Amino acid sequence: MTGAVLCVSTVVFVLLPVLGLIGAADGSTVGALDVPVGSIAVALVIGLGLALVLLALIVATRNGAVAWVLAVGAVISTLVVSLWPLVATAFAAVGQAGDVIPFIQGLIEQVGR
């Protein structure tokens, strides 16, 4: 029960605000920010699916220690997956910034002619 409550709390209080932040950043840049939606979606499906499997295994076990280990694994999986969109978007933004600098240098050279 505790593992399920913590997983749901992580989704509500971490994942949803992170996705809202990324959506707001993408909207405020009018789509200039390249958000890796595909990798985020795949990570969410895999990570949250793993958490659901671990939570389901808790019901099948009779050992309290094993149940706690499974619950902690589910919470960690949910937390990592909830923070992954920030990491993926940050890597994409850094990659885009590397493309912008040569473009700006080219503009400066053209203006200087």
Side-chain angles (χ1 to χ4, degrees), residues 1-92:
M1 180 71 172
T2 304
V5 169
L6 288 175
C7 287
V8 169
S9 297
T10 302
V11 167
V12 170
F13 295 114
V14 178
L15 179 61
L16 294 180
V18 163
L19 293 178
L21 176 68
I22 291 171
D26 190 31
S28 68
T29 60
V30 193
L33 179 64
D34 186 23
V35 178
V37 176
S39 69
I40 290 173
V42 168
L44 287 176
V45 168
I46 291 171
L48 294 178
L50 173 64
L52 287 174
V53 167
L54 293 173
L55 290 173
L57 288 173
I58 291 172
V59 176
T61 187
R62 299 255 182 215
N63 189 342
V66 172
W68 274 105
V69 169
L70 292 171
V72 168
V75 171
I76 289 172
S77 175
T78 305
L79 185 59
V80 168
V81 144
S82 296
L83 295 176
W84 172 249
L86 280 178
V87 174
T89 305
F91 281 139

